[in-house]
Amino acid sequence: MTRQTANSNRSVTLADVARLAGVSIATASKALNGRAQVRAETRERVVSAARQLSFTPNALARGLLLGRSGTVGLVTHDLEGRFSIPILAGAEDAFGAGQMSGLLTDARGDTIRERYQVNALLGRSVDGLIVVGDKTDERPSLGHDLPVPVVYAYAPSSDPSDCSLVCDNVGAGRMGVEHLLGCGRSRIAIITGDPTYGAAHERVQGALAALAQAGLELIGGRAMYGSWTEDWGRGAARLLVDRFPAVDAILCGSDQVARGVLDALRERGLSVPGDIAVVGHDNWKVMALGARPTLTTIDMNLEELGRLAATRLVEAIDGHPRSGRELVTGRLITRNSTAPQD
Amino acid sequence: MTRQTANSNRSVTLADVARLAGVSIATASKALNGRAQVRAETRERVVSAARQLSFTPNALARGLLLGRSGTVGLVTHDLEGRFSIPILAGAEDAFGAGQMSGLLTDARGDTIRERYQVNALLGRSVDGLIVVGDKTDERPSLGHDLPVPVVYAYAPSSDPSDCSLVCDNVGAGRMGVEHLLGCGRSRIAIITGDPTYGAAHERVQGALAALAQAGLELIGGRAMYGSWTEDWGRGAARLLVDRFPAVDAILCGSDQVARGVLDALRERGLSVPGDIAVVGHDNWKVMALGARPTLTTIDMNLEELGRLAATRLVEAIDGHPRSGRELVTGRLITRNSTAPQD
DNA sequence: CTGAAAGCGCTTACAG
DNA sequence: CTGAAAGCGCTTACAG
């Protein structure tokens, strides 16, 4: 049984603290806020009174006065999805240390909803906004006529003067190929997802650059685009090994695709990584760890992206805005699909 | 190019509206809030002035005065996880229609963090709290000395006088077995997950009740407990069909487990649902739809649970609290693992 | 029907 | 070093 520590602090006010400490409200305020002009002994008396009453300052009153609410709006477009959540968690984390809280809102990819929610958030005097997209493609800017700074995460703003944090997809593609080269592979193919996603093309682009640099060409001559599904991964892998039996590595556009690829290879009697090494993308744990063999993949460091977004937003709120896109680099997670490592 | 609609509304205040409409601030307030004692013509003038200035009332000031902030605290214990997100989305959804906003906070299963965050939220004058657990087992109550109502979602409070919304795990187990019986199966086994989870036992309990009602016994005599992984699903399925070749259906504790079961059965040359029908749990889309064959499973209606939690919280805030546990029933999603249905 | 006044809880010049 | 006063933007009795 823990001792009661939380009272109905709704009602404990600065006036109560001041009364108990025998000072004016003004002095109590200064004492608690660490203002210089307070005698040490007085400050102590106030602080101990505040503790005794378990006083929590009313953030609403504070915000009203200072014109800063200590809250930021988190506008996500994919609250159910896999990508926005780690970003939100990272942002939460970065704010958690300080005094900021996040007002959550899900716009579900709808521009009208977004506008409406942004206005609602502004009505709550948020000090800034983080807009989290559901894919890495550009999205329209909220504009510059807002009274607070905005940071775009995952999906960058199309306006280069906005501050955006994005995944380094090109670097991820390069990273995947370089790992495969390092593992001694040279006949590399790419099976990726939906060609309407910029991310798919960017990863391919990075991979091709790394191949070119090594003086190699892609097996099959071009990347295989399809959809972000296991089904497609399976089908594409079968096609690939039938047409190009010499292939010794497959770089995949996502872990789901890679999972399908692994299943198809196993069913064809090919060993991974013995015959063919496979690299995924996302480090989606359940997929990557449930796969046979476990999947080497690229983690986009989405939490880090979220933390950075929060940091940039706080900087902007404090009067030091940045603009332009900042790339967050992924990291390769090696598992058994490229090199056995029990 | 859309026309500019959002101004720096930070600075448009009720005083501005009143001035433009040629009335006092008090009258402007009454007009906008639909109070009765305002001449229709006056009200119109005020409303049009407000529109013209795109006035958004300052929620902080309003909250300070009314003692209601129009925000609720969302305390989750699993922001990265799969279960809390649909619940949050459902709650968001329910609030979205009204004037409530949710302040998001991730306590990560840590009681100290939770206490700290609850206090921070109370300092922001939240009107209520929704606490979302990461498993369906009971958790300690936040107590009754808080100044605002609390609703527990997913993980119920151990205090029966608190208001909790929980999944009907027993009903889900029953539902799974009844479906299998309906599909003509009678030699049913259960492969479930981590035995330290109450959910695992409750689902088994419901399944056993349904079997008993049909005058049947579980194949193998008892449910197979292990972990919530594909690995375990594969291993357990192999064991099961070796020891009890007559089994004609397997009820699984999760989609991940089911996924492993399906893989193992296929690799043993058994056909699903021809030889053995399989039912999962969670309706985790990527798992269930990526499986071969696609997986019949039970959707726990978590979004509905979130919506209900929000509804109950608003009721409590409005002075109509409920107490006790309310069960949210799942629904069976039929796919090809129990009956081919292209 | 309309408006002047008080007040929500706090902070910040400004006097003392 | 301390405190009385003004004010953040709004709503609600209370007079008129």
Side-chain angles (χ1 to χ4, degrees), chain B residues 13-14 29 58 62 65:
Chain B
T13 152
L14 187 57
S29 170
N58 182 319
R62 206 153 195 270
L65 204 50

Side-chain angles (χ1 to χ4, degrees), chain B residues 140-184:
Chain B
S141 174
L142 283 179
H144 291 259
D145 48 340
L146 297 176
V148 297
V150 182
V151 169
Y152 299 81
Y154 202 61
S157 163
S158 57
D159 182 338
S161 67
D162 284 326
C163 174
S164 301
L165 288 148
V166 298
C167 293
D168 183 4
N169 281 313
V170 174
R174 173 184 296 278
M175 198 177 283
V177 164
E178 280 168 358
H179 174 63
L180 288 170
L181 295 174
C183 291

Side-chain angles (χ1 to χ4, degrees), chain A residues 69-145:
Chain A
S69 64
T71 60
V72 302
L74 303 172
V75 181
T76 170
H77 280 282
D78 155 55
L79 185 49
E80 293 194 62
R82 215 144 40 79
F83 301 118
S84 71
I85 298 307
I87 296 173
L88 286 179
E92 238 283 293
D93 198 37
F95 289 138
Q99 323 301 331
M100 286 284 180
S101 286
L103 278 164
L104 179 68
T105 246
D106 184 12
R108 294 173 200 176
D110 179 337
T111 312
I112 311 284
R113 274 179 77 97
E114 181 180 82
R115 193 89 232 172
Y116 177 83
Q117 294 180 338
V118 165
N119 278 330
L121 289 168
L122 292 176
R124 294 193 182 282
S125 306
V126 292
D127 299 332
L129 295 166
I130 295 181
V131 182
V132 185
D134 62 337
K135 34 192 258 182
T136 68
D137 294 278
E138 265 185 17
R139 48 147 291 145
S141 175
L142 283 179
H144 290 261
D145 49 339

Side-chain angles (χ1 to χ4, degrees), chain A residues 269-280:
Chain A
L270 292 163
S271 101
V272 175
D275 298 317
I276 300 181
V278 175
V279 171

Side-chain angles (χ1 to χ4, degrees), chain B residues 41-308:
Chain B
E41 191 265 337
T42 308
R43 184 189 307 280
E44 258 174 48
R45 231 168 51 232
V46 172
V47 167
S48 105
R51 188 165 24 230
Q52 193 175 327
L53 299 173
S54 56
F55 167 69
T56 315
N58 182 319
L60 258 43
R62 206 153 195 270
L64 182 56
L65 204 50
L66 302 185
R68 272 189 170 223
S69 64
T71 60
V72 302
L74 303 173
V75 181
T76 169
H77 280 282
D78 155 56
L79 185 49
E80 294 194 61
R82 210 143 44 77
F83 301 117
S84 71
I85 299 306
I87 296 172
L88 286 179
E92 238 283 293
D93 198 38
F95 289 137
Q99 323 300 329
M100 286 282 180
S101 286
L103 278 164
L104 179 67
T105 247
D106 184 12
R108 295 174 198 172
D110 180 338
T111 313
I112 310 286
R113 274 179 78 96
E114 182 181 81
R115 193 87 230 176
Y116 176 83
Q117 293 179 338
V118 165
N119 278 330
L121 290 168
L122 292 176
R124 293 192 183 285
S125 306
V126 292
D127 299 333
L129 295 166
I130 296 181
V131 182
V132 185
D134 62 337
K135 33 194 260 183
T136 67
D137 294 277
E138 264 185 19
R139 48 147 291 145
S141 174
L142 283 179
H144 291 259
D145 48 340
L146 297 176
V148 297
V150 182
V151 169
Y152 299 81
Y154 202 61
S157 163
S158 57
D159 182 338
S161 67
D162 284 326
C163 174
S164 301
L165 288 148
V166 298
C167 293
D168 183 4
N169 281 313
V170 174
R174 173 184 296 278
M175 198 177 283
V177 164
E178 280 168 358
H179 174 63
L180 288 170
L181 295 174
C183 291
R185 309 296 162 138
S186 58
R187 296 185 299 278
I188 300 173
I190 297 180
I191 299 178
T192 186
D194 190 333
T196 68
Y197 283 62
H201 294 280
E202 289 167 18
R203 291 170 198 163
V204 167
Q205 180 191 328
L208 292 179
L211 280 173
Q213 202 172 320
L216 294 172
E217 296 207 333
L218 197 61
I219 291 294
R222 52 197 306 166
M224 300 173 77
Y225 290 88
S227 63
W228 303 112
T229 61
E230 292 185 61
D231 252 356
W232 162 246
R234 287 192 291 260
R238 283 184 208 117
L239 214 62
L240 179 72
V241 297
D242 285 349
R243 295 181 59 201
F244 305 98
V247 63
D248 67 7
I250 304 176
L251 180 64
C252 300
S254 80
D255 289 346
Q256 263 185 96
V257 169
R259 182 80 193 247
V261 167
L262 288 176
D263 283 347
L265 295 181
R266 190 175 52 254
E267 285 161 19
R268 276 282 202 272
L270 292 164
S271 102
V272 175
D275 297 317
I276 301 183
V278 174
V279 172
H281 187 106
D282 289 338
N283 193 26
W284 189 10
K285 295 267 171 61
V286 286
M287 278 288 155
L289 292 173
R292 285 176 295 165
T294 56
L295 185 65
T296 292
T297 185
I298 291 162
D299 187 310
M300 292 311 280
N301 287 329
L302 294 178
E303 285 218 32
E304 170 64 12
L305 193 154
R307 259 190 296 275
L308 256 181

